Amino acid sequence: MTPEVMDGLLRHVREQFNSIANSLGFMRLEIVYMLDYVEDNISKFEEAAQRSSFNHAREDWMEAKREAAAVLKEDFDMMSKVTLLEEQKSVQGNAGDSASSAFLPRHEGGFLKSLKQRRAVVEEIVQTETNYLKLLEELESLYMTPLAEKLGDREEGGLLTKEENERIFGIMRTIINIVREHLPLMTAAVSSVTEGIGEVFLKLCPWLKHYAVYINSFDGSVKAIQTAKKRNPGFKKFLKDSEKKSAANYDLGSYLILPVQRLGRYELLLQTAFRETTRSHPDREDLITALEQVGDINAKINNIKRADENRQKVEELERNFVSPPSLFVPGRLLVREGKVMCARHKSMSSVQSKGKKPHVILLFDDLIVIAKVVKENRYEKKYSISLNDGVQIIEGGVGSSKGGRRMSGNLECLCLFRDKEGNMYYLLEFETSKEKEKWVSSFREVLSAVSVAKELSHK
């Protein structure tokens, strides 16, 4: 049988499948999995033939085609019995599933196994979403509703001010409504012919942008709880009493973090569902698109969170300076910080280890700041080197006796770099050789990124 004939037979089987797909019910997916099995095995047969020696290639190829043809004929014969099986299922109920499976014993470890595993994943999505909503409704009944009824100043008997309530709960009611609206769609997907969980998530994805708003304000929510507890003992007592009523034994913080955890869980569950979905499954394309969209949302949230954490860290460092410099610039990233012994020299010949003093070095993605340690956690800015002006790590420049340079201490902990713009040399001594290697690696990565950015800007 020639490859053309084999391809034609496969197309014929698929045409027969498509002609009756709308009336197959659950059997539709079983045939889809069988066709995938056939295609996978034809591919394996072809690979086996290609790996064979030249003398046996033609014989192996013909045998592979004969086996593939036999598989296709079995599948075609099975499809001719589909209508009868559907009639049996309508009479026998669930017994029809076992009747259809009786025709497929050879494939039980393949497509039927994947079918069951995919269904298990979809059921897990629905079950965990059901539990998620249950916990959110507990939060609503135990905390949100009672506190909304007791807003006001402490002197007036209020537990929270309106502003505190908004900072603590943010858009939680919106999150709860989103889950309530989409859970029935997920539940319906389990009992549908195609188990279209990908289609459901495509409808959910536009609403997941609200999670980004909630997650970005979560740290502020935690701080607002602590502030309110200190300000109002009545609120603190309310929290303890409410925790005792929680069926899940959750405190307020444990409830509030649920949406933060759930968004990442969505991506993991969709990845698992995708692994159990064959290429012919009718939900595959929707699942791929949904997985990409959920992944993009998670990535954007993580980037925003990292940027916010970076901003807070830089602002914290600024407060440690005697005369705070303006280190924070939107988009500037703090790569590494640490303590180091440092000395600056005007020429290569004058570089020596003598005269090094305690400093703090801050490596940003566009700048190096070196500050003198005045006292514990108090710094005075000494040097600021723009990476755009050109900075060079000197290879083999430490430890040589050329030029009258005199080095002492552990040479493996020394690092020398040059500021091309100011033509100055900076000798850094780290506590250990491993620490030095980490810094040199960070220097090189940042300098490489700056170089690439320059090249792109000139194109």
Side-chain angles (χ1 to χ4, degrees):
M1 181 180 293
T2 65
E4 290 77 13
V5 173
M6 179 61 66
D7 292 340
L9 181 55
L10 183 58
R11 282 197 303 273
H12 180 61
V13 172
R14 284 196 173 278
E15 288 171 0
Q16 291 294 315
F17 161 70
N18 290 329
S19 68
I20 57 175
N22 293 331
S23 63
L24 289 181
F26 190 74
M27 283 296 298
R28 174 182 178 181
L29 289 182
E30 294 185 351
I31 297 176
V32 170
Y33 276 75
M34 175 164 284
L35 291 173
D36 283 336
Y37 171 87
V38 173
E39 288 186 343
D40 288 343
N41 277 276
I42 288 177
S43 175
K44 291 176 183 177
F45 294 149
E46 291 174 350
E47 291 174 4
Q50 292 171 359
R51 287 195 300 267
S52 299
S53 63
F54 177 80
N55 293 334
H56 298 89
R58 179 174 178 78
E59 180 180 346
D60 290 344
W61 172 256
M62 295 304 295
E63 178 62 24
K65 289 302 181 181
R66 282 194 291 271
E67 291 187 35
V71 172
L72 284 170
K73 188 174 186 308
E74 288 179 22
D75 297 337
F76 184 81
D77 290 342
M78 186 208 72
M79 282 191 292
S80 67
K81 303 170 184 176
V82 166
T83 303
L84 176 60
L85 287 173
E86 286 296 301
E87 292 176 356
Q88 291 175 345
K89 288 171 69 175
S90 65
V91 175
Q92 300 173 6
N94 291 333
D97 288 340
S98 59
S100 63
S101 298
F103 287 93
L104 311 171
R106 184 168 54 82
H107 306 302
E108 179 65 26
F111 67 90
L112 283 182
K113 181 179 179 181
S114 295
L115 180 62
K116 293 175 182 177
Q117 290 174 336
R118 186 181 193 278
R119 173 172 285 270
V121 175
V122 174
E123 289 175 346
E124 181 183 0
I125 292 174
V126 175
Q127 184 58 56
T128 55
E129 189 77 357
T130 302
N131 296 339
Y132 174 45
L133 178 58
K134 181 179 178 182
L135 290 171
L136 292 181
E137 289 178 336
E138 281 185 10
L139 166 65
E140 189 176 38
S141 61
L142 290 177
Y143 293 93
M144 297 176 69
T145 300
L147 286 172
E149 296 172 353
K150 297 181 180 180
L151 297 181
D153 294 331
R154 175 182 173 184
E155 294 74 15
E156 301 172 352
L159 297 180
L160 288 177
T161 65
K162 182 179 179 181
E163 292 74 18
E164 287 173 333
N165 188 68
E166 290 176 352
R167 283 200 297 271
I168 291 173
F169 296 108
I171 60 168
M172 177 59 83
R173 289 197 185 278
T174 300
I175 299 293
I176 294 174
N177 288 334
I178 291 172
V179 180
R180 280 181 178 145
E181 181 177 342
H182 290 86
L183 178 57
L185 301 179
M186 293 183 184
T187 304
V190 176
S191 57
S192 69
V193 172
T194 59
E195 297 172 354
I197 198 67
E199 181 182 0
V200 173
F201 268 88
L202 281 183
K203 296 176 181 178
L204 174 61
C205 280
W207 296 95
L208 293 181
K209 296 176 182 178
H210 291 282
Y211 276 73
V213 176
Y214 181 85
I215 292 172
N216 289 332
S217 63
F218 178 73
D219 290 340
S221 172
V222 174
K223 292 178 182 178
I225 293 174
Q226 299 304 320
T227 301
K229 285 167 66 175
K230 293 177 181 178
R231 186 189 64 80
N232 191 339
F235 175 64
K236 185 176 181 179
K237 182 178 184 302
F238 171 82
L239 294 182
K240 288 184 178 181
D241 293 341
S242 298
E243 184 178 347
K244 294 176 183 178
K245 301 174 185 177
S246 170
N249 197 28
Y250 278 12
D251 60 12
L252 178 56
S254 299
Y255 283 110
L256 292 176
I257 202 173
L258 289 171
V260 180
Q261 299 169 330
R262 189 59 180 169
L263 191 57
R265 182 67 173 157
Y266 281 149
E267 186 172 3
L268 294 175
L269 289 168
L270 289 178
Q271 288 173 349
T272 304
F274 175 72
R275 286 196 296 269
E276 302 299 340
T277 303
T278 64
R279 61 181 175 275
S280 296
H281 196 287
D283 189 45
R284 182 181 175 84
E285 293 304 318
D286 286 344
L287 189 56
I288 291 174
T289 304
L291 183 54
E292 289 175 349
Q293 292 183 11
V294 173
D296 287 344
I297 293 171
N298 273 323
K300 289 177 182 177
I301 291 174
N302 290 334
N303 289 336
I304 293 172
K305 192 168 185 63
R306 279 194 293 268
D308 186 59
E309 291 172 350
N310 177 75
R311 176 187 58 78
Q312 293 180 31
K313 181 62 177 177
V314 173
E315 290 177 348
E316 180 183 336
L317 287 170
E318 285 181 344
R319 290 193 289 271
N320 290 335
F321 282 79
V322 176
S323 299
S326 298
L327 297 178
F328 177 72
V329 174
R332 175 176 286 170
L333 177 66
L334 176 64
V335 178
R336 184 178 286 275
E337 61 163 315
K339 294 183 178 180
V340 66
M341 300 295 288
C342 175
R344 188 171 75 158
H345 303 276
K346 294 182 179 180
S347 66
M348 187 71 169
S349 60
S350 66
V351 173
Q352 54 181 306
S353 58
K354 185 178 179 181
K356 298 190 301 295
K357 295 181 179 180
H359 286 73
V360 167
I361 181 170
L362 309 177
L363 174 62
F364 295 90
D365 57 353
D366 66 337
L367 182 73
I368 297 175
V369 174
I370 301 177
K372 180 182 177 181
V373 178
V374 179
K375 58 182 181 180
E376 186 68 22
N377 293 327
R378 294 297 288 172
Y379 316 132
E380 180 183 344
K381 181 180 174 183
K382 297 294 290 183
Y383 317 119
S384 180
I385 306 113
S386 172
L387 300 181
N388 292 313
D389 294 334
V391 171
Q392 178 186 5
I393 303 294
I394 306 297
E395 293 280 2
V398 178
S400 171
S401 60
K402 293 182 179 179
R405 280 173 282 145
R406 298 172 298 282
M407 298 295 169
S408 62
N410 190 347
L411 300 183
E412 293 182 353
C413 298
L414 297 178
C415 169
L416 181 68
F417 73 88
R418 175 191 176 193
D419 170 16
K420 292 183 179 179
E421 182 69 15
N423 200 28
M424 301 297 292
Y425 294 83
Y426 298 83
L427 182 64
L428 309 177
E429 181 177 359
F430 298 94
E431 291 185 359
T432 66
S433 59
K434 287 186 177 181
E435 184 72 9
K436 173 226 176 166
E437 290 172 2
K438 291 178 181 178
W439 272 94
V440 171
S441 176
S442 296
F443 281 138
R444 297 196 186 287
E445 288 177 5
V446 171
L447 291 173
S448 176
V450 170
S451 177
V452 171
K454 277 186 176 181
E455 291 179 5
L456 292 175
S457 65
H458 293 315
K459 289 184 179 181

